[in-house]
Amino acid sequence: MRWKLLALDLDGTLLDQNGDVSEENAASVREAHASGTHVVLVSGRHHIRIMPILDRLGIHVPIISTNGCEIWSASGRLLDRRVLPWKDVETVHLLAFQHHVHYRAYCAEGVFDSEQRNHLAQMDYSWLKVLLKSGDDSSLSVAYERLLATGRLELTVYGSLGEPRQIDVQPKGTGKADALSKLCRMLDIRREEVVAIGDDRNDIGMLRFAGLGIAMANAPEDVRAAADEIAPHYLDSGVGRTIARLMRSATA
């Protein structure tokens, strides 16, 4: 492949509806890796929940986790971490309480839900990202507006601003694109040499950053509009088929 780095989102992209990797996807990823192409898994997941996927693929590659808040080397060494300042953690915690919004909080120490005792009141944790969710669209909309007004946070809305399904809250200036850019500098790879494949709104920046941004056929319209190409549906092993096509083109 003339492409030097392949950045792959997980849920709705590389993984099927059961969170597994199809054999076609796995084979193509392994073939790209064996060819000398850098493969990077890029996900909103906590890095601990990404490790079993590496075991399934049978390769050791870098990981960008929690929407770009952490970068891990292929050997499992932490290369970069961005954390939420404590005052912003307090703000998110207060808003969740005031507006009856549930959250899933990601920190270096693990992942905690609002129903658990270990929650955002724990000052000694290194908080990375908070996923806000509620069955009440108006509560999430109010929380979004108040968080946006701080000017200190990176927010990703899933659904629409008027009817959000959930919101990712993370440190300002973080995201998959930012982390991918950092990793490219570490590896001395130009953005023009990057292929990125994803399916959701947290992938938009990454798709635009890459020399070739590819959205899955199952992606929302605005995500597909941000891409250069569209891959087959994730349930049809779209990632594997796309990688195979790119490799054929490189050797034609």
Side-chain angles (χ1 to χ4, degrees):
M1 295 173 72
R2 73 178 181 87
W3 307 100
K4 292 187 177 180
L5 188 146
L6 179 61
L8 301 174
D9 171 55
L10 297 182
D11 296 285
T13 302
L14 180 65
L15 307 183
D16 63 19
Q17 70 271 37
N18 299 316
D20 198 6
V21 186
S22 72
E23 184 50 44
E24 185 174 358
N25 280 352
S28 289
V29 171
R30 286 194 288 263
E31 187 175 356
H33 183 256
S35 75
T37 301
H38 291 274
V39 175
V40 183
L41 302 187
V42 188
S43 177
R45 292 185 177 208
H46 195 280
H47 84 275
I48 292 174
R49 292 192 61 225
I50 301 176
M51 300 308 296
I53 300 164
L54 289 179
D55 293 338
R56 170 71 177 87
L57 293 171
I59 56 177
H60 297 287
V61 300
I63 290 172
I64 292 174
S65 59
T66 51
N67 278 350
C69 291
E70 291 184 334
I71 305 174
W72 296 82
S73 72
S75 63
R77 181 169 59 93
L78 180 66
L79 300 177
D80 188 69
R81 173 180 286 156
R82 295 283 304 278
V83 300
L84 282 162
W86 178 244
K87 63 180 178 180
D88 294 326
V89 176
E90 287 185 307
T91 298
V92 175
H93 187 214
L94 180 61
L95 281 175
F97 175 77
Q98 289 177 334
H99 298 284
H100 307 288
V101 172
H102 299 289
Y103 61 74
R104 175 164 292 172
Y106 297 68
C107 63
E109 295 76 12
V111 181
F112 304 105
D113 289 321
S114 47
E115 291 80 8
Q116 295 173 289
R117 294 184 63 187
N118 291 315
H119 52 68
L120 289 177
Q122 299 289 338
M123 275 189 76
D124 54 342
Y125 288 171
S126 299
W127 296 105
L128 307 169
K129 182 190 82 165
V130 183
L131 171 64
L132 300 177
K133 50 187 177 178
S134 174
D136 183 353
D137 295 339
S138 61
S139 294
L140 273 183
S141 294
V142 171
Y144 171 80
E145 293 297 336
R146 292 188 61 182
L147 291 170
L148 184 66
T150 68
R152 299 191 306 267
L153 298 163
E154 204 69 41
L155 306 174
T156 302
V157 176
Y158 302 90
S160 66
L161 291 179
E163 297 181 346
R165 291 183 289 106
Q166 56 190 41
I167 302 170
D168 276 338
V169 184
Q170 58 194 81
K172 190 71 174 178
T174 61
K176 292 185 176 184
D178 178 77
L180 187 55
S181 176
K182 288 180 181 177
L183 184 60
C184 284
R185 290 196 295 271
M186 295 175 191
L187 298 173
D188 193 25
I189 292 174
R190 296 179 293 115
R191 62 187 296 180
E192 293 82 7
E193 299 170 319
V194 174
V195 177
I197 309 178
D199 79 301
D200 216 335
R201 292 194 171 93
N202 58 343
D203 297 313
I204 289 177
M206 178 175 75
L207 297 181
R208 289 174 173 163
F209 168 81
L212 180 61
I214 303 176
M216 305 303 293
N218 48 282
E221 183 178 352
D222 55 343
V223 179
R224 286 184 276 118
D228 302 300
E229 295 183 6
I230 307 299
H233 199 282
Y234 82 111
L235 295 179
D236 295 326
S237 295
V239 166
R241 292 165 61 185
T242 298
I243 294 173
R245 175 177 60 79
L246 291 173
M247 295 189 72
R248 286 196 301 270
S249 297
T251 57

